[in-house]
Amino acid sequence: MIRGAANAGDIGPDTDRLLFAAGLARAGYTVITLAVALTLAFRRAEAGPLPAWQGIAIRAFGGWIAAVGLMMAGLAFAT
């Protein structure tokens, strides 16, 4: 949300707001879809139960994503 507010602050009077919003939504959808596809491919449901290291790797990756998000929020409020 913070990055979106920063991007919206840079919209000029000559920018097509509908096109800007559509592009931003499409980019977000693409990133989320690719992340979910990567996670599902990594888990491979037809392969049976997950080995312990795969479950830990998925949780660790999610933790890193959350940490980066919190860091970005902290940096946005610090300035």
Side-chain angles (χ1 to χ4, degrees):
M1 288 177 25
I2 293 170
R3 293 303 315 158
N7 287 338
D10 291 336
I11 293 177
D14 58 336
T15 304
D16 183 4
R17 294 180 188 271
L18 181 62
L19 187 59
F20 179 81
L24 194 59
R26 183 173 178 157
Y29 176 78
T30 301
V31 168
I32 290 170
T33 302
L34 289 174
V36 169
L38 181 65
T39 302
L40 290 176
F42 188 69
R43 290 192 63 179
R44 292 180 301 150
E46 70 275 355
L50 281 177
W53 70 270
Q54 283 184 339
I56 293 170
I58 291 172
R59 287 185 195 96
F61 185 63
W64 277 99
I65 291 173
V68 168
L70 288 172
M71 182 180 65
M72 288 180 65
L75 289 173
F77 289 126
T79 56

